[in-house]
Amino acid sequence: MSFNQSSCSINPWSLITALSLSLGLVSIPLIAPVFAQEQRVRTLTVSGEGVVMIPTTQTQVQLGVEVLGKTAEEVQAEAARRTNAVIELLRSRNVEKLETTGIRLNPTYSYTNDQQRLTGYSATNTVSFKLKTEKVGSLLDEAVKAGATRIDGISFVASDAEISAAQQQALKLATQEAERQANAVLGALNLTRREIIGIQVNNASVPVPMPVMYKADVAAAPATPVVGGEQQVRASVTLQISY
Protein backbone atom coordinates (compact mmCIF):
# COMPACT_ATOMS: atom_id res chain seq x y z
CA MET A 1 0.00 0.00 0.00
CA SER A 2 1.42 3.32 -1.08
CA PHE A 3 0.88 6.79 0.31
CA ASN A 4 0.64 10.02 -1.62
CA GLN A 5 3.11 12.26 0.20
CA SER A 6 1.77 15.46 -1.34
CA SER A 7 -1.77 14.84 -0.06
CA CYS A 8 -0.58 14.59 3.59
CA SER A 9 1.64 17.66 3.65
CA ILE A 10 0.65 20.54 5.95
CA ASN A 11 1.11 24.14 4.92
CA PRO A 12 2.73 25.92 7.93
CA TRP A 13 1.23 29.26 6.99
CA SER A 14 -2.25 27.76 6.92
CA LEU A 15 -1.66 26.33 10.42
CA ILE A 16 -0.53 29.68 11.80
CA THR A 17 -3.54 31.43 10.28
CA ALA A 18 -5.89 28.86 11.74
CA LEU A 19 -4.35 29.19 15.19
CA SER A 20 -4.54 33.00 15.02
CA LEU A 21 -8.20 32.93 14.09
CA SER A 22 -8.90 30.43 16.86
CA LEU A 23 -7.18 32.57 19.47
CA GLY A 24 -8.94 35.67 18.23
CA LEU A 25 -12.35 34.01 18.53
CA VAL A 26 -11.53 32.99 22.10
CA SER A 27 -10.17 36.38 23.22
CA ILE A 28 -13.01 38.58 21.97
CA PRO A 29 -15.74 37.30 24.34
CA LEU A 30 -13.32 37.61 27.32
CA ILE A 31 -12.37 41.24 26.67
CA ALA A 32 -15.75 42.61 25.73
CA PRO A 33 -17.56 41.95 29.06
CA VAL A 34 -14.70 43.49 31.08
CA PHE A 35 -14.76 46.62 28.95
CA ALA A 36 -18.52 46.85 29.23
CA GLN A 37 -18.37 46.44 33.00
CA GLU A 38 -15.89 49.31 33.33
CA GLN A 39 -18.18 51.51 31.30
CA ARG A 40 -21.08 50.85 33.69
CA VAL A 41 -19.25 52.09 36.84
CA ARG A 42 -20.84 55.32 38.08
CA THR A 43 -19.51 57.41 40.96
CA LEU A 44 -20.58 60.31 43.13
CA THR A 45 -17.95 62.60 44.71
CA VAL A 46 -18.84 64.52 47.87
CA SER A 47 -16.85 66.60 50.38
CA GLY A 48 -17.64 67.18 54.03
CA GLU A 49 -16.19 69.59 56.56
CA GLY A 50 -15.88 69.19 60.31
CA VAL A 51 -15.27 72.02 62.78
CA VAL A 52 -14.41 71.58 66.46
CA MET A 53 -14.04 74.42 68.97
CA ILE A 54 -11.72 73.84 71.93
CA PRO A 55 -10.80 76.12 74.84
CA THR A 56 -7.41 77.80 74.78
CA THR A 57 -5.57 76.91 77.94
CA GLN A 58 -2.12 78.20 77.04
CA THR A 59 -0.71 81.55 75.95
CA GLN A 60 2.15 82.21 73.52
CA VAL A 61 4.04 85.35 74.52
CA GLN A 62 6.50 87.50 72.59
CA LEU A 63 8.53 89.91 74.72
CA GLY A 64 11.87 91.63 74.55
CA VAL A 65 14.46 94.06 75.85
CA GLU A 66 15.29 97.28 74.00
CA VAL A 67 18.22 99.51 75.05
CA LEU A 68 19.41 102.86 73.66
CA GLY A 69 22.93 104.19 74.15
CA LYS A 70 25.90 106.04 72.70
CA THR A 71 28.05 103.09 71.64
CA ALA A 72 27.31 99.68 70.16
CA GLU A 73 29.28 97.92 72.91
CA GLU A 74 27.37 99.74 75.64
CA VAL A 75 23.88 98.99 74.39
CA GLN A 76 24.68 95.39 73.43
CA ALA A 77 26.14 94.62 76.85
CA GLU A 78 23.17 96.19 78.67
CA ALA A 79 20.66 94.39 76.46
CA ALA A 80 22.44 91.09 77.12
CA ARG A 81 22.42 91.71 80.89
CA ARG A 82 18.69 92.49 81.00
CA THR A 83 17.82 89.64 78.65
CA ASN A 84 19.68 87.14 80.81
CA ALA A 85 17.74 88.36 83.85
CA VAL A 86 14.43 87.92 81.99
CA ILE A 87 15.38 84.45 80.75
CA GLU A 88 16.39 83.33 84.24
CA LEU A 89 13.00 84.48 85.50
CA LEU A 90 11.16 82.60 82.74
CA ARG A 91 13.12 79.42 83.37
CA SER A 92 12.36 79.62 87.07
CA ARG A 93 8.65 79.69 86.19
CA ASN A 94 8.99 76.54 84.05
CA VAL A 95 7.69 78.11 80.84
CA GLU A 96 7.46 75.90 77.75
CA LYS A 97 9.15 76.31 74.35
CA LEU A 98 11.39 79.17 75.45
CA GLU A 99 13.50 80.40 72.54
CA THR A 100 15.25 83.50 71.22
CA THR A 101 13.32 84.99 68.30
CA GLY A 102 15.48 88.00 67.47
CA ILE A 103 18.72 89.87 68.18
CA ARG A 104 19.16 93.27 66.55
CA LEU A 105 21.71 96.08 66.78
CA ASN A 106 20.94 99.20 64.77
CA PRO A 107 22.41 102.73 64.57
CA THR A 108 20.14 105.65 65.43
CA TYR A 109 20.24 108.97 63.61
CA SER A 110 18.94 112.49 63.93
CA TYR A 111 18.12 114.73 60.98
CA THR A 112 18.72 118.47 60.99
CA ASN A 113 18.55 120.62 57.86
CA ASP A 114 18.51 117.48 55.74
CA GLN A 115 21.71 116.35 57.38
CA GLN A 116 21.97 112.88 58.91
CA ARG A 117 23.92 112.55 62.13
CA LEU A 118 24.70 109.38 64.09
CA THR A 119 23.40 109.74 67.64
CA GLY A 120 23.90 106.24 69.04
CA TYR A 121 22.72 102.67 68.84
CA SER A 122 19.66 100.57 69.62
CA ALA A 123 19.90 96.93 70.74
CA THR A 124 16.84 94.68 70.87
CA ASN A 125 16.66 91.08 72.04
CA THR A 126 13.35 89.21 71.84
CA VAL A 127 12.19 85.82 73.15
CA SER A 128 9.03 83.76 73.01
CA PHE A 129 7.55 81.20 75.36
CA LYS A 130 4.35 79.37 76.22
CA LEU A 131 2.64 79.15 79.61
CA LYS A 132 -0.73 78.28 81.09
CA THR A 133 -3.02 81.26 80.60
CA GLU A 134 -3.91 81.70 84.26
CA LYS A 135 -0.22 82.23 85.12
CA VAL A 136 0.66 84.67 82.34
CA GLY A 137 -0.61 87.92 83.88
CA SER A 138 1.59 87.85 86.95
CA LEU A 139 4.60 86.62 84.95
CA LEU A 140 4.34 89.53 82.52
CA ASP A 141 4.49 92.00 85.40
CA GLU A 142 7.52 90.23 86.83
CA ALA A 143 9.24 90.17 83.43
CA VAL A 144 8.86 93.96 83.13
CA LYS A 145 10.41 94.40 86.55
CA ALA A 146 13.26 92.06 85.58
CA GLY A 147 14.17 94.18 82.56
CA ALA A 148 11.70 93.55 79.72
CA THR A 149 10.77 96.81 78.01
CA ARG A 150 8.44 95.53 75.30
CA ILE A 151 5.72 92.93 75.02
CA ASP A 152 5.06 92.54 71.32
CA GLY A 153 1.99 90.39 71.62
CA ILE A 154 0.26 87.37 73.05
CA SER A 155 -1.79 84.65 71.37
CA PHE A 156 -3.99 82.02 72.92
CA VAL A 157 -3.62 78.35 71.98
CA ALA A 158 -4.82 74.95 73.14
CA SER A 159 -2.42 72.26 74.31
CA ASP A 160 -0.90 69.86 71.78
CA ALA A 161 -2.89 66.95 73.20
CA GLU A 162 -6.18 68.88 72.95
CA ILE A 163 -5.41 69.93 69.37
CA SER A 164 -4.59 66.35 68.35
CA ALA A 165 -7.83 65.03 69.83
CA ALA A 166 -9.79 67.84 68.15
CA GLN A 167 -8.24 67.02 64.77
CA GLN A 168 -9.40 63.41 65.05
CA GLN A 169 -12.90 64.55 66.00
CA ALA A 170 -13.01 67.06 63.13
CA LEU A 171 -12.04 64.32 60.65
CA LYS A 172 -14.81 62.10 62.00
CA LEU A 173 -17.39 64.89 61.66
CA ALA A 174 -16.19 65.69 58.13
CA THR A 175 -16.55 62.04 57.07
CA GLN A 176 -20.05 61.82 58.53
CA GLU A 177 -21.06 65.04 56.76
CA ALA A 178 -19.79 63.73 53.42
CA GLU A 179 -21.78 60.51 53.88
CA ARG A 180 -24.95 62.46 54.74
CA GLN A 181 -24.59 64.46 51.55
CA ALA A 182 -24.12 61.31 49.47
CA ASN A 183 -27.14 59.60 51.01
CA ALA A 184 -29.31 62.69 50.43
CA VAL A 185 -28.35 63.03 46.77
CA LEU A 186 -28.66 59.34 45.90
CA GLY A 187 -31.92 59.04 47.84
CA ALA A 188 -33.44 62.01 46.00
CA LEU A 189 -32.57 60.38 42.67
CA ASN A 190 -33.74 56.90 43.73
CA LEU A 191 -30.28 55.50 43.17
CA THR A 192 -28.74 52.66 45.18
CA ARG A 193 -25.56 53.46 47.03
CA ARG A 194 -22.77 50.93 46.73
CA GLU A 195 -19.23 50.95 48.10
CA ILE A 196 -16.78 53.76 48.84
CA ILE A 197 -14.02 53.49 46.23
CA GLY A 198 -11.97 56.57 47.12
CA ILE A 199 -11.12 58.59 50.26
CA GLN A 200 -9.15 61.82 50.37
CA VAL A 201 -8.27 63.73 53.54
CA ASN A 202 -7.92 67.31 52.36
CA ASN A 203 -6.70 68.84 55.62
CA ALA A 204 -7.01 68.83 59.37
CA SER A 205 -5.68 72.27 60.10
CA VAL A 206 -5.40 74.54 63.09
CA PRO A 207 -5.47 78.23 62.09
CA VAL A 208 -2.50 80.21 63.41
CA PRO A 209 -3.75 82.24 66.40
CA MET A 210 -3.65 85.98 65.85
CA PRO A 211 -1.48 87.84 68.37
CA VAL A 212 -3.10 90.33 70.71
CA MET A 213 -1.08 93.46 71.36
CA TYR A 214 -0.18 93.98 74.99
CA LYS A 215 1.31 97.21 76.35
CA ALA A 216 3.80 96.82 79.15
CA ASP A 217 3.20 99.15 82.09
CA VAL A 218 5.64 99.08 84.99
CA ALA A 219 3.09 100.82 87.21
CA ALA A 220 0.41 98.25 86.52
CA ALA A 221 -1.07 96.33 89.40
CA PRO A 222 0.27 92.79 89.98
CA ALA A 223 -1.36 89.90 88.18
CA THR A 224 -2.49 91.76 85.09
CA PRO A 225 -5.60 89.86 83.92
CA VAL A 226 -5.13 87.73 80.79
CA VAL A 227 -8.18 85.81 79.58
CA GLY A 228 -8.10 83.25 76.78
CA GLY A 229 -10.87 82.09 74.47
CA GLU A 230 -11.53 79.27 72.00
CA GLN A 231 -9.53 77.82 69.13
CA GLN A 232 -11.01 76.40 65.94
CA VAL A 233 -9.86 73.12 64.37
CA ARG A 234 -11.06 72.28 60.84
CA ALA A 235 -10.91 69.14 58.71
CA SER A 236 -12.20 68.26 55.24
CA VAL A 237 -12.75 64.81 53.71
CA THR A 238 -13.74 63.84 50.16
CA LEU A 239 -15.43 60.52 49.39
CA GLN A 240 -15.95 58.82 46.02
CA ILE A 241 -18.92 56.45 46.15
CA SER A 242 -20.16 54.08 43.44
CA TYR A 243 -23.85 53.66 42.67
Side-chain angles (χ1 to χ4, degrees):
M1 178 171 154
S2 63
F3 292 94
N4 188 344
Q5 185 175 1
S6 61
S7 63
C8 295
S9 63
I10 299 174
N11 188 336
W13 294 108
S14 299
L15 178 60
I16 293 173
T17 302
L19 288 173
S20 299
L21 290 173
S22 176
L23 291 173
L25 291 173
V26 172
S27 62
I28 289 174
L30 291 177
I31 295 174
V34 174
F35 180 75
Q37 184 178 6
E38 290 179 352
Q39 290 293 96
R40 288 198 297 268
V41 174
R42 300 179 297 179
T43 62
L44 171 66
T45 302
V46 290
S47 294
E49 185 178 59
V51 179
V52 176
M53 302 298 294
I54 53 178
T56 56
T57 57
Q58 296 183 318
T59 302
Q60 186 79 32
V61 181
Q62 301 270 351
L63 59 79
V65 172
E66 185 174 10
V67 177
L68 300 175
K70 293 295 184 181
T71 67
E73 294 82 0
E74 174 190 350
V75 296
Q76 187 66 17
E78 180 62 16
R81 186 189 67 80
R82 295 187 188 182
T83 302
N84 285 333
V86 172
I87 290 176
E88 287 301 318
L89 169 66
L90 297 177
R91 284 175 173 165
S92 70
R93 298 297 184 272
N94 297 319
V95 301
E96 299 178 20
K97 299 184 178 180
L98 174 63
E99 62 179 352
T100 299
T101 54
I103 298 177
R104 296 197 305 272
L105 177 64
N106 299 311
T108 58
Y109 300 94
S110 66
Y111 296 88
T112 305
N113 298 326
D114 295 329
Q115 296 294 319
Q116 176 179 285
R117 185 173 65 89
L118 178 66
T119 58
Y121 292 87
S122 169
T124 305
N125 295 349
T126 55
V127 298
S128 69
F129 64 91
K130 186 185 291 186
L131 186 66
K132 290 184 177 180
T133 300
E134 65 267 19
K135 297 181 179 180
V136 169
S138 59
L139 182 56
L140 290 178
D141 295 326
E142 291 183 65
V144 170
K145 293 177 182 178
T149 58
R150 52 188 293 168
I151 300 176
D152 295 331
I154 59 176
S155 54
F156 302 106
V157 295
S159 68
D160 293 342
E162 291 170 332
I163 290 175
S164 179
Q167 287 175 325
Q168 299 303 314
Q169 180 65 17
L171 284 171
K172 181 179 179 180
L173 293 175
T175 303
Q176 292 172 345
E177 174 60 23
E179 289 200 291
R180 280 195 294 269
Q181 292 183 35
N183 292 336
V185 171
L186 294 175
L189 298 174
N190 292 321
L191 298 172
T192 301
R193 171 178 168 170
R194 299 187 185 280
E195 62 182 350
I196 297 175
I197 61 175
I199 302 174
Q200 178 178 335
V201 178
N202 301 322
N203 60 68
S205 63
V206 183
V208 178
M210 295 298 294
V212 178
M213 298 310 296
Y214 182 97
K215 182 179 179 181
D217 186 358
V218 177
T224 301
V226 177
V227 181
E230 288 186 317
Q231 188 169 10
Q232 188 181 84
V233 179
R234 289 180 174 271
S236 178
V237 172
T238 299
L239 301 179
Q240 193 174 23
I241 303 172
S242 64
Y243 63 90

